[in-house]
C-alpha cells in the first residue's frame, strides 16, 4: 500500500492506495442523479486504488493540429476554442497520478487562484484547482463536472509516493 505526500511539506494527501497497472476506461454517465443526490459521472477508479497516466493531462490546452479532428479532450468531453471550431487537447504534464476523490477527502482544499465552475462541479480546464491541506501548494486537479470524469489527478512533481 502507498500514500501520496506533498513534496513541499510532507503532508499526507491520500488514504492508503494500491497501484493499478493502468488507468481504466472512463465509465459512461447517464445524466441521472446518483444515490446521494449528486450529479457526476461514476469515479474513474474504485476507492483505494491509483494509477499513473502516461498521457498529457490538464492545462494548458492547445488547438489540435488537425482542424478537422473531433475527439475527446478529457475522456468523454470535447472542448472547443472559444473563438473557433477547433478541438483543444491537453499539453499538460505526463505521469499524473489518478485517484478516486473519496481517497483524498478532507486532505485538500480548493485553490483560491482558480475560479472555474461548471453546472455541477469543476471541469478542471484552468489548471490545478486543489491545494495541499498542510501548506497550500498547488498539487492536483479535481475533475467533478457532471459530464466529465470524476477523479483527482495529482501533479507528478507536486507529490511523492511513500509506502503506507
Amino acid at each position: 500500500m502507498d500514500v501520496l505526500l506533498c513534496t513541499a511539506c510532507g503532508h499526507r494527501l491520500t488514504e492508503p492506495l494500491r497501484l493499478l497497472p493502468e488507468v481504466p476506461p472512463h465509465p459512461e454517465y447517464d445524466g441521472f442523479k446518483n444515490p446521494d443526490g449528486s450529479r457526476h459521472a461514476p469515479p474513474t477508479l474504485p476507492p483505494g486504488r491509483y494509477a499513473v497516466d502516461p498521457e498529457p493531462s490538464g492545462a494548458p490546452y492547445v488547438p489540435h493540429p488537425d482542424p478537422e479532428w473531433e475527439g475527446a479532450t478529457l475522456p468523454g468531453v470535447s472542448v472547443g476554442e472559444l473563438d473557433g471550431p477547433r478541438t483543444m487537447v491537453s499539453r499538460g504534464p505526463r505521469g499524473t497520478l489518478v485517484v478516486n476523490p473519496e481517497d483524498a477527502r478532507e486532505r485538500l482544499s480548493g485553490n483560491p487562484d482558480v475560479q472555474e465552475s461548471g453546472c455541477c462541479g469543476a471541469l478542471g480546464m484552468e489548471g490545478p484547482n486543489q491545494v495541499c491541506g498542510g501548506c497550500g501548494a498547488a498539487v492536483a486537479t479535481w475533475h467533478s463536472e457532471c459530464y466529465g470524469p470524476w477523479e483527482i489527478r495529482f501533479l507528478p512533481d507536486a507529490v511523492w509516493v511513500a509506502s503506507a
Side-chain angles (χ1 to χ4, degrees), residues 72-90:
T73 301
L74 297 168
V77 181
S78 181
V79 178
E81 287 183 283
L82 294 177
D83 59 353
R86 293 173 71 179
T87 301
M88 306 294 282
V89 293
S90 173

Side-chain angles (χ1 to χ4, degrees), residues 128-162:
N129 58 18
Q130 298 293 295
V131 297
C132 171
C135 70
V139 294
T141 301
W142 182 20
H143 298 277
S144 60
E145 181 55 56
C146 57
Y147 57 84
W150 197 62
E151 62 192 21
I152 292 179
R153 288 181 172 257
F154 285 94
L155 299 169
D157 293 340
V159 299
W160 57 283
V161 178

Side-chain angles (χ1 to χ4, degrees), residues 15 109 127:
E15 296 296 320
S109 298

Side-chain angles (χ1 to χ4, degrees), residues 99-121:
V99 306
N100 184 306
E102 295 298 320
D103 288 323
R105 181 181 292 271
E106 299 181 14
R107 297 180 184 278
L108 302 172
S109 298
N111 186 343
D113 295 333
V114 176
Q115 302 299 318
E116 71 168 353
S117 65
C119 62
C120 299

Side-chain angles (χ1 to χ4, degrees), residues 44-100:
T44 304
L45 295 169
R49 304 290 189 267
Y50 77 106
V52 178
D53 190 350
E55 296 300 319
S57 177
Y61 289 87
V62 298
H64 191 281
D66 178 357
E68 303 298 317
W69 186 82
E70 292 183 15
T73 301
L74 297 168
V77 181
S78 181
V79 178
E81 287 183 283
L82 294 177
D83 59 353
R86 293 173 71 179
T87 301
M88 306 294 282
V89 293
S90 173
R91 288 294 179 258
R94 293 177 180 268
T96 56
L97 293 91
V98 186
V99 306
N100 184 306

